[in-house]
Amino acid sequence: MKRILFTLIALAMAIPVFSQTREEKKLDDGTPYTLVTDANRLRGVEVNGKLIIPCQYQYISALGDVYQCEVEDAKFYFDSNGNQLFSLTKDHWVRPLTNKDKKTMFLVDDVSGKAGVLDLHGHMVLPYNYTYISLQQTPDGDFFEVSKHDNYQGAYTTNGEEVIPCQYDMVHYWNGYFAIQKDAYAGMCDPKGKVIVPADTYDHVTYLNHSIPYFLVGKGMYKGILDTQGKVLLPANRYNYASLMINGEFTVGLGDKGGICDASGNEKFISDEYTNIYYTERTGLPAYCYKKGQAGYVLKDFQGNVIEEEKPTVKRETKTDGGFTYVAVTDVTGLEGIETTSGKTLIPAKYSRIFYSDGTFSVYSEGGGYGLYDSKGKVLIEANRGYTLPITNLQKYYLVEKGNYSGIADLNGNEVIAPDRYQSIRQLDNGMFLVKKGNLYGVINKSGKEIMPVKYHKCDLYYDGHHYETQMNGLHGICDLQGREILPPQFTDISFSEKDKYNPFDTYYVKNGQKCGMYKSNGEILFPVESTSNCKINQLI
């Protein structure tokens, strides 16, 4: 009996006893607290010796200046005094947002991938209708920029009031205005959402906050000027360059010829000799400065008398980019070219601007647009096609752009996809091109043939090029590499299992809410989406 009693005592002593533990921590705002774990491994919070949150939670963490407390199927949120704010089910993910007035809100993602915003007490500020929400702090107040599953964007105040409806392809606060874009057209709204420049005419709209603020607009190769109420001051139908001067007149460029328009937009003169002409008072007298690019200038009064003159000179500057060394040349007319370090001409000095990138030179010719040379001086794309942005080097192709449209040229400079249909083109790892038209995506091949129709809200290549995953209104689908729709976009989640010794074929595991199903990679149903108890499917998703 004594031997049995001794054995029991020894076993009892050998079993570890879990006692209460305490860990000192701080909230994100620096407030100290003590994380208390009791004998049952449940956690609570103590501040200044007082237990403000009882030990009944499995996990507790700081989330901004509040406590996030979790149990098996729910999350509870408490302020720094231990007052409960709100609770959510476990399948929600919460991030704090703080505006410039230090007011705390919460960005919440639910299990379906939709995001919303709650205030400090859990009241809905923005409902779960968005795929993207960003808090922008601006001089005009704080705004939420949002995007829906259909890719349309809008803006709301932090009180949840609509500023700009979700009907644009792009909305972004910029320099006191909201830049908007719709179907390749750009526009502007004021901070209250009033449309100043409708998104139905111009390729680009830029707000220029100079001594006289104005909007610079672009339409193809032409530039124009609007006032900040949207009134046309100079129409975008003739000039390749335009700027509003402090005397209320306009300096304009017509190809490589500079000129002046009066305050009503009437053309006063165009010079055959000078590339840039503008109003100045730097000598104490009102005058026009006549320039030839960056080389030399002449100041003349309004009667044409010379006030001051700088003799032009040829300028050379040695540059090194990515290990490649060359000499940038500006001739006496202000036009640019490229030479080797030994003085050999690579690119003749006949361009307004030249940019080097990744072994090629993008050249710009006034009135013609952008072209391309290689690093040996060979012309790849002539600068007379009207391309409006520097040409980008892709894998075996070049991205070319006109206004807000993108296209593709091959390495010989031949245009294989004209920049007149798609707003964006991105080359995929399998050599195909992801294209966007309006707010919809599809896939085309190198000849411009549609592999997948441009009808999806999202589309991309997945699993090392195994298939395309599509989305419509937040629901997922699958297309094979030939563009055939294997699974229509009607599932809340899709995961993929490749062939292995346990699976004789590729398998898609799908989910709609809490219901699960299984498909072969050819779309054949293995288990319909109606089971809520298939453990294998539930574990894999």
Side-chain angles (χ1 to χ4, degrees):
M1 185 67 180
K2 289 182 179 180
R3 185 175 297 174
I4 294 173
L5 182 60
F6 177 80
T7 302
L8 291 174
I9 293 172
L11 287 172
M13 293 177 65
I15 298 173
V17 178
F18 189 87
S19 59
Q20 186 186 82
T21 63
R22 305 166 65 82
E23 184 179 359
E24 302 302 321
K25 290 181 170 289
K26 290 183 179 180
L27 293 175
D28 290 358
D29 63 1
T31 302
Y33 69 94
T34 303
L35 180 64
V36 180
T37 305
D38 68 9
N40 295 316
R41 291 183 171 82
L42 296 177
R43 293 169 172 81
V45 172
E46 185 180 284
V47 175
N48 296 326
K50 180 182 178 182
L51 194 67
I52 63 170
I53 299 177
C55 293
Q56 59 187 41
Y57 301 98
Q58 295 170 341
Y59 302 99
I60 296 179
S61 58
L63 191 69
D65 55 358
V66 304
Y67 301 100
Q68 177 177 272
C69 305
E70 301 182 36
V71 294
E72 185 173 348
D73 57 359
K75 298 176 181 178
F76 299 84
Y77 297 86
F78 296 84
D79 66 17
S80 57
N81 296 315
N83 300 309
Q84 184 173 327
L85 302 173
F86 60 93
S87 63
L88 296 168
T89 56
K90 194 69 173 287
D91 54 6
H92 288 73
W93 294 267
V94 179
R95 285 171 285 166
L97 298 172
T98 304
N99 64 11
K100 63 183 179 182
D101 298 324
K102 305 301 181 183
K103 179 182 176 182
T104 299
M105 290 169 289
F106 301 96
L107 176 64
V108 183
D109 294 283
D110 68 10
V111 69
S112 69
K114 295 181 180 179
V117 175
L118 305 179
D119 68 11
L120 187 60
H121 300 289
H123 301 137
M124 190 68 72
V125 177
L126 292 180
Y128 297 119
N129 289 337
Y130 307 98
T131 56
Y132 174 81
I133 299 175
S134 175
L135 178 62
Q136 302 291 327
Q137 297 183 359
T138 79
D140 297 300
D142 291 354
F143 298 95
F144 290 118
E145 292 178 1
V146 303
S147 178
K148 287 192 172 182
H149 283 292
D150 57 10
N151 294 330
Y152 286 129
Q153 298 181 11
Y156 290 79
T157 69
T158 53
N159 293 323
E161 299 169 356
E162 183 182 79
V163 179
I164 298 176
C166 284
Q167 64 184 35
Y168 295 101
D169 299 334
M170 185 274 291
V171 172
H172 184 63
Y173 180 89
W174 183 66
N175 279 351
Y177 293 86
F178 283 102
I180 57 176
Q181 185 173 312
K182 177 75 170 178
D183 295 333
Y185 293 111
M188 285 283 180
C189 295
D190 71 11
K192 296 186 181 298
K194 179 184 176 182
V195 177
I196 304 298
V197 182
D200 59 8
T201 302
Y202 302 107
D203 300 330
H204 301 284
V205 179
T206 305
Y207 172 63
L208 297 179
N209 188 16
H210 292 173
S211 55
I212 303 177
Y214 64 94
F215 294 119
L216 177 67
V217 297
K219 191 174 183 181
M221 295 296 297
Y222 300 115
K223 302 294 187 291
I225 291 177
L226 314 182
D227 68 14
T228 53
Q229 300 304 310
K231 178 184 176 182
V232 176
L233 303 179
L234 190 70
N237 59 6
R238 173 170 168 79
Y239 304 107
N240 307 116
Y241 170 81
S243 181
L244 181 61
M245 301 185 294
I246 59 174
N247 68 339
E249 293 184 325
F250 305 97
T251 174
V252 296
L254 187 61
D256 58 357
K257 301 176 181 180
I260 297 292
C261 292
D262 65 21
S264 298
N266 300 313
E267 194 173 286
K268 296 178 72 172
F269 63 88
I270 297 291
S271 171
D272 289 330
E273 183 180 0
Y274 296 96
T275 59
N276 187 15
I277 303 171
Y278 59 89
Y279 175 83
T280 181
E281 296 179 357
R282 79 176 182 210
T283 62
L285 297 172
Y288 289 126
C289 179
Y290 298 74
K291 295 189 68 176
K292 295 181 178 181
Q294 300 299 315
Y297 66 87
V298 177
L299 294 184
K300 296 181 181 182
D301 64 20
F302 292 164
Q303 286 71 46
N305 302 309
V306 176
I307 300 173
E308 182 178 305
E309 185 173 4
E310 178 193 64
K311 297 297 183 181
T313 59
V314 177
K315 300 178 181 179
R316 286 180 168 84
E317 182 183 0
T318 301
K319 297 182 178 181
T320 300
D321 289 304
F324 178 69
T325 301
Y326 59 94
V327 178
V329 180
T330 304
D331 73 2
V332 293
T333 68
L335 296 177
E336 298 181 2
I338 299 296
E339 294 178 354
T340 67
T341 53
S342 62
K344 177 185 176 182
T345 298
L346 289 179
I347 301 174
K350 64 178 184 179
Y351 298 103
S352 302
R353 283 172 287 171
I354 298 180
F355 310 91
Y356 176 79
S357 175
D358 297 328
T360 58
F361 291 96
S362 277
V363 299
Y364 181 75
S365 174
E366 297 286 355
Y370 285 91
L372 198 68
Y373 282 73
D374 68 14
S375 58
K376 295 181 180 180
K378 178 183 177 182
V379 179
L380 301 177
I381 296 176
E382 293 282 359
N384 60 3
R385 298 185 184 175
Y387 297 142
T388 55
L389 289 174
I391 295 164
T392 303
N393 192 358
L394 303 176
Q395 184 181 2
K396 298 182 179 180
Y397 295 94
Y398 295 110
L399 178 69
V400 295
E401 298 173 270
K402 283 186 180 180
N404 282 321
Y405 289 99
S406 298
I408 298 293
D410 64 23
L411 295 183
N412 294 318
N414 300 313
E415 196 174 86
V416 293
I417 301 172
D420 59 5
R421 185 177 182 185
Y422 303 112
Q423 276 86 67
S424 70
I425 298 179
R426 177 167 66 87
Q427 192 170 24
L428 300 170
D429 290 341
N430 64 351
M432 301 295 105
F433 297 96
L434 179 69
V435 297
K436 182 181 181 183
K437 187 176 182 181
N439 69 323
L440 301 176
Y441 291 88
V443 175
I444 63 176
N445 65 14
K446 61 184 180 181
S447 300
K449 179 183 177 182
E450 282 193 356
I451 302 302
M452 290 173 52
V454 184
K455 68 175 187 178
Y456 299 102
H457 292 148
K458 286 186 179 180
C459 176
D460 216 333
L461 194 63
Y462 278 83
Y463 289 101
D464 295 326
H466 183 274
H467 62 249
Y468 297 103
E469 185 167 326
T470 62
Q471 286 191 40
M472 284 291 289
N473 298 314
L475 298 178
H476 301 256
I478 297 293
C479 288
D480 66 15
L481 296 183
Q482 287 70 48
R484 293 188 294 261
E485 196 169 71
I486 302 301
L487 300 179
Q490 61 185 30
F491 304 102
T492 57
D493 199 2
I494 297 177
S495 61
F496 173 67
S497 176
E498 297 184 63
K499 295 178 183 178
D500 56 36
K501 63 181 180 180
Y502 302 108
N503 294 292
F505 40 73
D506 296 343
T507 307
Y508 293 111
Y509 302 95
V510 302
K511 191 173 183 180
N512 261 339
Q514 298 302 313
K515 294 184 178 181
C516 303
M518 186 185 298
Y519 288 79
K520 289 184 180 180
S521 60
N522 62 2
E524 181 183 340
I525 296 176
L526 291 174
F527 298 102
V529 186
E530 58 186 22
S531 170
T532 58
S533 60
N534 190 309
C535 297
K536 180 179 179 181
I537 297 174
N538 279 303
Q539 289 170 1
L540 286 169
I541 292 183

